[in-house]
């Protein structure tokens, strides 16, 4: 960053870091006995002291050595009676050093994390301006004097230069629901040094904006900041330092009614590594409906951050899109690459949905498990659609993020739901419960069929499965009750799929695999098609796509009980068997199923209402609405 009027700096400190990597805090083995206390919340009401300023010094428990000099700086800046305090905190299992003499400690023992340190440090009340500085930040009396007037009416953070030449100049919200941009890794030109006379002149409140270059930001992300004491709120106790400070200072800013600013320039010898967990993800997804503060900017996604898959963003020039010519979509599925994944149901599901989107003029690619995060070009995606099966997939901050839960709903957490711009689920019962639990809307979007593949065929008495009770699917490594019951009832059963030899009678064995066209022919010609569900899917109302395929083929299907099934599919060619006796009645050759004409009418209805084309229209509408919201 080029230096200019109002930029003031200090001579670079040559502090070494224990990690061997400049600017990155080392992770030590723990020397602690027991756990540090987590301090959440503040007294209500918080005492407001009759003091101009409170200086709170926070320090990781193995970095106390800098505190005595910082206490002296505070007393030089504001007088010997200044309200200055210190709190130690444990982070990354840091060892606990002896507390330094001459430091006004609030507690004898360190607390758990920087959020707890802030809450513990201010619990006795604060003055009209609160200044918070970490022991890794090199500050003098001059620096503290600059921070106080800047923080009288709003949050103010000093610009921070890290020892590796990076910058931390506050954060911008480039993309709601993604880690705020914080200049990660940026190499910038250091500011020119200022004379002491320049500093003294700039400290004047009337010259603050002109002399120091105050710049609005979304929030502060570094522990060298000030704010009005009357606007104080509790700091969140998150494992990630930057998100703790960002969430805290944004909440304070919302109380003041003024955006935070960055001003001045200081140096920091080390900072904590990033730790992204469920609580951290929830902190930034709380801003999913807040407008970006980077008007006209697009973003590029950074690398994933385990274990929760959150990614930082970096601003890039905005790219104009002609939406009439179609958006670029990436469909993320759990199937592995290569032959191993080719037979997965997710692959067929995604391919048929991709075809439907392309018929709407969209440009679609399908990313299997190994390509959920593409280092080269995933920032070019306009829409990321996660078809949620076995794998959790990180949202892409550069795009609109849609989640469609079609299976394994018990694996989907509230944090995951809150991470996406729009969440859909193929089970309406689960969708309603998940929305109530997570606090975000979860829209019902049932599974679907492809009428180009599954359609009524002319009655063919010579078809291999004509007149049979048919099941198509694997054993899942265990007996499937609907098949076991059909065998026990002596049904004229034909089972297609892998793993059935030795599980069903040899006479019932069909093909170990079928093409999609062969599956459609089997469904259309069978006397009855059997279907079942995983327990969590049945409880959540997730209707298998096999049901839609059979109905679209003009077939009849008997399934196990699914919560809310009658509300979404009240169809005469679909029946539920709740017991072996009910199954026996439905498999009896004399059972009066609808006529061929009635089955064809059902198939026509299913093709219109439950096709991938119908689902694609819903998804496209949602994607366009979210793009308009995120990039107004």
């Amino acid at each position: 960053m080029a230096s200019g009027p109002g930029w003031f700096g200090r001579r670079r400190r040559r502090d070494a870091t224990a990690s061997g990597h400049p600017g990155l805090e080392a992770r030590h083995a723990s020397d602690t006995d027991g756990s540090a206390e987590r301090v959440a919340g503040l007294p209500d009401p918080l005492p407001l002291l009759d003091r101009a300023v409170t200086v709170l010094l926070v320090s990781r428990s193995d970095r106390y050595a800098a505190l005595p000099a910082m206490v002296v700086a505070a007393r030089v800046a504001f007088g010997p009676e200044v309200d200055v305090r210190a709190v130690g905190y444990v982070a990354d299992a840091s060892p606990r050093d002896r507390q330094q003499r001459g430091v006004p400690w609030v507690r004898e023992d360190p607390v758990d994390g920087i959020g707890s340190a802030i809450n513990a440090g201010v619990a006795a009340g604060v003055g009209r301006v609160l200044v918070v500085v970490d022991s890794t930040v090199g500050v003098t009396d001059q620096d503290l004097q600059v921070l106080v007037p800047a923080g009288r009416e709003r949050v103010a953070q000093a610009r921070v230069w890290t020892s590796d030449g990076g910058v931390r100049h506050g954060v911008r919200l480039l993309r709601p629901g993604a880690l705020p941009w914080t200049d990660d890794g940026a190499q910038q030109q250091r500011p020119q040094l200022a004379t002491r006379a320049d500093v003294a002149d700039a400290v004047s409140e009337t010259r603050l904006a002109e002399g120091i270059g105050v710049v609005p930001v979304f929030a502060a992300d570094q522990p060298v900041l000030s704010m009005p004491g009357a606007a104080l709120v509790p700091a969140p106790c998150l494992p990630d330092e930057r998100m703790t400070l960002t969430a805290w200072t944004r909440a304070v800013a919302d109380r003041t009614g003024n955006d935070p600013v960055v001003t001045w320039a200081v140096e920091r010898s080390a900072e904590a590594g990033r730790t992204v967990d469920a609580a951290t993800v929830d902190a930034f997804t709380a801003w999913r409906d807040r407008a970006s503060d980077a008007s006209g900017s697009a973003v590029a996604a950074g690398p994933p951050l385990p274990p929760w898959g959150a990614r930082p963003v970096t601003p890039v020039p905005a790219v104009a899109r002609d939406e009439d010519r179609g958006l670029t979509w990436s469909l993320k599925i759990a199937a592995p690459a290569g032959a191993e994944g080719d037979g997965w149901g997710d692959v067929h599901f995604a391919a048929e949905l991709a075809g439907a989107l392309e018929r709407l003029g969209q440009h679609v690619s399908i990313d299997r498990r190994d390509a959920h995060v593409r280092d080269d070009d995933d920032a070019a995606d306009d829409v990321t659609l996660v078809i949620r099966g076995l794998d959790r997939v990180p949202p892409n901050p550069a795009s609109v993020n849609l989640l469609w839960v079609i299976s394994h709903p018990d694996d989907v957490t509230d944090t995951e739901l809150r991470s996406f711009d729009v969440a859909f689920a193929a089970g309406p019962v689960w969708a309603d419960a998940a929305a109530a639990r997570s606090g975000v809307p979860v829209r019902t979007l049932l599974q679907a069929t492809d009428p180009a593949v599954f359609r009524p065929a002319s009655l063919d008495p010579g078809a291999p499965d004509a007149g049979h009770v048919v099941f198509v699917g694997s054993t899942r490594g265990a007996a499937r009750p609907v098949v076991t019951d059909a065998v026990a009832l002596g049904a004229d059963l034909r089972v297609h799929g892998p793993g059935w030899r030795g599980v069903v009678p040899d006479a019932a064995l069909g093909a170990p695999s079928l093409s999609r066209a062969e599956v459609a022919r089997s469904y259309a010609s069978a006397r009855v098609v059997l279907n079942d569900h995983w327990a969590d899917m049945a409880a959540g109302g997730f209707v298998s796509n096999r049901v839609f395929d059979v109905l679209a083929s003009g077939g009849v299907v008997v399934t196990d009980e699914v919560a809310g099934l009658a509300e979404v599919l009240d169809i005469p060619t679909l029946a539920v068997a709740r017991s072996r006796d009910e199954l026996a009645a439905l498999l009896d050759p004399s059972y009066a199923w609808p006529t061929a004409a009635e089955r064809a009418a059902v198939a026509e209805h299913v093709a219109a209402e439950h096709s991938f084309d119908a689902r694609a229209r819903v998804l496209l509408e949602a994607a366009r609405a979210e793009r308009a919201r995120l990039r107004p």
Side-chain angles (χ1 to χ4, degrees):
M1 182 177 294
S3 59
W7 275 89
F8 301 93
R10 301 171 55 252
R11 230 176 265 283
R12 180 174 179 173
R13 294 176 51 171
R14 300 291 182 180
D15 292 357
T17 62
S19 66
H21 185 284
L24 181 64
E25 191 69 83
R27 294 177 180 261
H28 299 274
S30 175
D31 291 345
T32 62
D33 294 322
S35 301
E37 180 185 357
R38 183 183 185 196
V39 181
L42 295 176
D44 186 18
L46 180 71
L48 295 178
L49 309 180
D50 186 21
R51 289 178 174 270
V53 59
T54 293
V55 179
L56 174 60
L57 306 177
V58 294
S59 174
R60 211 175 82 159
S61 55
D62 58 347
R63 286 190 168 270
Y64 292 159
L67 290 175
M70 298 174 74
V71 172
V72 171
R75 289 171 175 162
V76 170
F78 307 116
E81 303 303 319
V82 65
D83 179 15
V84 57
R85 315 165 189 175
V87 182
Y89 63 89
V90 175
D92 298 332
S94 52
R96 302 184 184 185
D97 290 350
R98 291 180 178 274
Q99 291 186 340
Q100 300 287 319
R101 293 182 177 179
V103 174
W105 295 100
V106 171
R107 291 182 170 223
E108 293 183 1
D109 296 320
V111 295
D112 181 20
I114 194 169
S116 289
I118 293 169
N119 293 335
V122 302
V126 294
R128 289 182 286 279
V129 175
L130 171 66
V131 178
V132 178
V133 185
D134 189 80
S135 63
T136 57
V137 180
V139 291
T140 66
D141 56 304
Q142 309 165 22
D143 303 320
L144 296 174
Q145 288 173 335
V146 170
L147 281 173
V148 168
R152 285 177 179 152
E153 296 182 352
R154 66 185 70 221
V155 175
Q157 179 199 297
R159 296 177 173 92
V160 170
W161 297 89
T162 62
S163 58
D164 61 355
V167 296
R168 301 286 186 266
H169 294 351
V171 293
R172 295 165 59 195
L173 187 65
L174 298 180
R175 164 67 163 78
L179 285 171
W181 182 57
T182 183
D183 297 297
D184 285 295
Q187 299 293 319
Q188 303 282 351
Q189 180 180 343
R190 303 183 70 78
Q192 294 179 344
L193 300 180
T195 67
R196 199 170 188 85
D198 292 331
V199 172
D201 185 46
V203 166
S204 167
E205 184 175 7
T206 58
R207 290 288 311 281
L208 186 61
E210 176 188 352
I212 304 176
V214 172
V215 176
V217 292
F218 176 70
D221 67 340
Q222 293 292 296
V224 52
L225 54 90
S226 60
M227 63 181 62
L232 198 58
V233 301
C237 297
L238 304 175
D240 186 70
E241 178 193 279
R242 283 192 241 171
M243 275 304 304
T244 294
L245 296 171
T246 297
W248 180 49
T249 57
R250 185 63 245 181
V252 172
D254 289 340
R255 289 196 71 186
T256 68
N258 297 314
D259 281 336
V261 295
V262 289
T263 184
W264 206 239
V266 298
E267 294 193 10
R268 190 174 186 190
S269 59
E271 64 178 352
R274 303 222 68 171
T275 303
V276 179
D277 69 347
T280 303
V281 171
D282 280 347
F284 65 75
T285 54
W287 304 318
R288 58 185 295 158
D289 296 323
R290 187 185 289 267
S292 167
D293 64 350
S295 179
S297 293
V299 298
L305 292 175
W308 293 95
R311 288 190 270 170
V313 297
T314 301
V316 297
V319 177
R321 295 281 189 187
D322 182 357
E323 299 202 7
D324 291 336
R325 299 182 61 183
L327 303 175
T328 299
W329 292 64
S330 172
L331 310 188
K332 310 288 187 180
I333 61 175
E340 179 187 356
D342 289 345
W344 283 42
D346 295 25
V347 173
H348 299 297
F349 190 98
E352 290 165 358
L353 177 60
L357 287 166
E358 288 168 349
R359 288 190 286 276
L360 293 174
Q362 307 303 290
H363 311 285
V364 186
S365 63
I366 298 173
D367 291 332
R368 298 197 192 183
R369 178 177 294 162
D370 60 322
H372 285 169
V373 177
R374 303 192 310 271
D375 291 336
D376 54 348
D377 64 349
D378 72 352
D381 293 335
D382 297 313
V383 185
T384 297
L385 170 60
V386 175
I387 300 172
R388 181 61 154 92
L390 286 171
D391 289 350
R392 179 171 183 169
V393 181
N396 178 356
S399 72
V400 169
N401 289 281
L402 309 181
L403 177 70
W404 190 4
V405 182
I406 65 169
S407 65
H408 301 284
D410 283 356
D411 294 341
V412 181
T413 66
D414 294 347
T415 289
E416 182 174 358
L417 291 172
R418 288 191 282 260
S419 300
F420 283 79
D421 300 311
V422 181
F424 297 94
V429 175
W430 185 88
D432 290 345
R437 187 182 64 242
S438 66
V440 296
V442 181
R443 297 167 57 180
T444 296
L445 192 65
L446 301 176
Q447 292 203 40
T449 187
D450 184 355
V453 176
F454 297 95
R455 61 185 186 276
S458 299
L459 183 61
D460 182 3
D465 290 331
H468 286 278
V469 174
V470 169
F471 181 85
V472 181
S474 73
T475 65
R476 294 179 180 162
R480 297 175 73 150
V482 71
V483 175
T484 300
D485 287 347
V487 170
L489 292 168
D492 186 9
L493 182 65
R494 183 69 58 83
V495 178
H496 300 288
W500 289 106
R501 186 169 298 279
V503 179
V504 299
D506 288 350
L509 290 173
S513 65
L514 296 175
S515 68
R516 299 289 279 170
E518 290 171 332
V519 172
R521 188 182 183 200
S522 176
Y523 289 166
S525 62
R527 181 164 59 83
V528 175
V529 178
L530 299 178
N531 179 68
D532 63 358
H533 295 83
W534 289 102
D536 60 345
M537 293 183 66
F542 288 79
V543 182
S544 166
N545 68 309
R546 184 190 291 113
V547 170
F548 297 104
D549 291 343
V550 175
L551 297 176
S553 300
V556 297
V557 58
V558 174
T559 188
D560 53 359
E561 190 169 16
V562 177
L565 179 60
E567 283 72 36
V568 295
L569 284 175
D570 185 9
I571 287 176
T573 50
L574 170 64
V576 174
R578 299 172 180 84
S579 67
R580 184 174 290 184
D581 288 343
E582 289 188 359
L583 180 63
L586 292 166
L587 298 187
D588 190 314
S590 65
Y591 186 84
W593 290 102
T595 65
E598 290 170 327
R599 296 182 190 188
V602 168
E604 183 178 358
H605 167 77
V606 170
E609 298 295 326
H610 300 293
S611 67
F612 279 103
D613 291 280
R615 304 296 184 256
R617 288 192 292 272
V618 173
L619 293 167
L620 178 56
E621 180 183 3
R624 285 174 170 165
E626 286 305 297
R627 278 178 60 82
R629 180 180 71 85
L630 296 171
R631 296 179 173 87

